[in-house]
């Protein structure tokens, strides 16, 4: 009896320790290894982003390409599927097509996940772009905003840019006075699975009051015309920015 109790206590302690380890392990496994917040990541890159509706995003792409909604949805599906297969053993089905028969057929797959669960589209609330960046040229008087549409794959701890739609890339100047951007080129492309490169070059033309023109000249603008209290200034400008998911 003197030996039984200590042994019994050791056995009970061992069971409790094993139970604790298994419980801790199961909690860790159930917790997501990476909670990715695209909006916060955009801020780190100097951009602004806001999530938008996937169906509206697809409709926009369909109109831009001159194809049907379902064609655009299936085009996105095929591109996402190739990415998804690298990270998951679950099949993917397209729940974003309009055709109800296609939806019903695709959802019959066993152990499959819907397209809408692994992709996200983002937009600036006023301009309907995925990401935009604002660069101040003249303090308080002239800034330029630029951005591009794109689509993001995000499943668990894995994330990639699905595509960058260069045909939506834009540069817009704004501020006090009248400002124009005459672009030589605007390029936005996916340089890797996790990086977007935005490059642009053009000429800025600003028509402002004489009272603020000194600020423009201080950053490289040249006066081309002056009439009364108004002055027209010009400057070539280059944009080079990289957006990274990691």
């Amino acid at each position: 009896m003197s030996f039984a109790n200590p042994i019994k206590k050791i056995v009970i302690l061992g069971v409790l320790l094993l139970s604790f380890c298994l419980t801790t392990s199961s909690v860790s496994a159930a917790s997501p290894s990476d909670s990715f917040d695209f909006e916060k990541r955009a801020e780190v890159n100097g951009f602004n982003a806001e999530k938008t509706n996937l169906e509206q995003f697809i409709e926009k792409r369909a109109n831009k390409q001159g194809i049907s909604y379902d064609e655009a949805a299936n085009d996105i599906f095929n591109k996402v599927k190739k990415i998804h297969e690298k990270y998951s053993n679950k099949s993917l089905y397209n729940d974003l097509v309009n055709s109800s028969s296609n939806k019903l057929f695709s959802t019959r797959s066993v152990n499959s996940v819907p397209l809408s669960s692994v992709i996200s589209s983002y937009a600036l609330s006023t301009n309907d772009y995925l990401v935009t960046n604002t660069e101040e040229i003249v303090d308080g008087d002239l800034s330029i905003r630029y951005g591009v549409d794109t689509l993001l794959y995000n499943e668990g701890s894995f994330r990639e840019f699905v595509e960058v739609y260069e045909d939506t890339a834009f540069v817009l100047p704004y501020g006090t006075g009248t400002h124009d951007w005459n672009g030589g080129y605007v390029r936005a492309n996916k340089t890797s699975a996790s990086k977007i490169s935005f490059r642009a070059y053009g000429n800025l033309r600003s028509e402002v009051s004489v009272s603020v023109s000194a600020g423009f000249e201080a950053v490289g603008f040249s006066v081309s015309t002056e009439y009364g209290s108004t002055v027209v200034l010009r400057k070539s400008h280059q944009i080079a920015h990289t957006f990274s998911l990691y």
Side-chain angles (χ1 to χ4, degrees), residues 107-128:
T107 55
R108 291 174 187 167
S109 302
V110 179
N111 193 31
S112 57
V113 295
L115 174 63
S116 62
S117 72
V118 297
I119 61 171
S120 302
S121 57
Y122 292 81
L124 188 71
S125 56
T126 54
N127 284 320
D128 194 27

Side-chain angles (χ1 to χ4, degrees), residues 69-226:
Y69 174 94
D70 276 6
E71 286 175 318
N74 284 319
D75 178 58
I76 289 173
F77 171 75
N78 290 329
K79 289 170 182 172
V80 174
K81 185 179 179 183
K82 291 179 181 178
I83 297 173
H84 182 72
E85 288 172 348
K86 294 191 297 183
Y87 303 117
S88 178
N89 58 4
K90 295 181 179 180
S91 60
L92 193 68
Y93 67 87
N94 193 351
D95 63 328
L96 294 173
V97 288
N98 271 329
S99 171
S100 58
S101 60
N102 284 345
K103 287 184 179 181
L104 288 172
F105 178 78
S106 60
T107 55
R108 291 174 187 167
S109 302
V110 179
N111 193 31
S112 57
V113 295
L115 174 63
S116 62
S117 72
V118 297
I119 61 171
S120 302
S121 57
Y122 292 81
L124 188 71
S125 56
T126 54
N127 284 320
D128 194 27
Y129 292 108
L130 165 72
V131 287
T132 61
N133 192 19
T134 300
E135 181 181 337
E136 192 167 60
I137 307 297
V138 181
D139 186 22
D141 291 304
L142 172 62
S143 296
I144 53 174
R145 179 178 289 138
Y146 55 90
V148 65
D149 280 4
T150 188
L151 199 64
L152 176 71
Y153 173 89
N154 183 28
E155 172 72 348
S157 61
F158 304 107
R159 50 190 178 270
E160 281 193 23
F161 285 115
V162 177
E163 189 168 4
V164 178
Y165 300 99
E166 189 171 7
D167 59 355
T168 67
F170 75 99
V171 178
L172 294 172
Y174 67 100
T176 303
T178 302
H179 311 290
D180 299 305
W181 168 269
N182 297 308
Y185 67 82
V186 178
R187 297 194 185 111
N189 61 297
K190 185 171 66 170
T191 57
S192 71
S194 62
K195 289 183 179 179
I196 290 176
S197 172
F198 194 102
R199 299 288 184 269
Y201 178 83
N203 293 298
L204 281 165
R205 175 188 175 277
S206 296
E207 189 173 328
V208 299
S209 64
V210 174
S211 61
V212 300
S213 62
F216 284 76
E217 292 181 74
V219 295
F221 278 83
S222 299
V223 176
S224 62
T225 310
E226 186 174 345

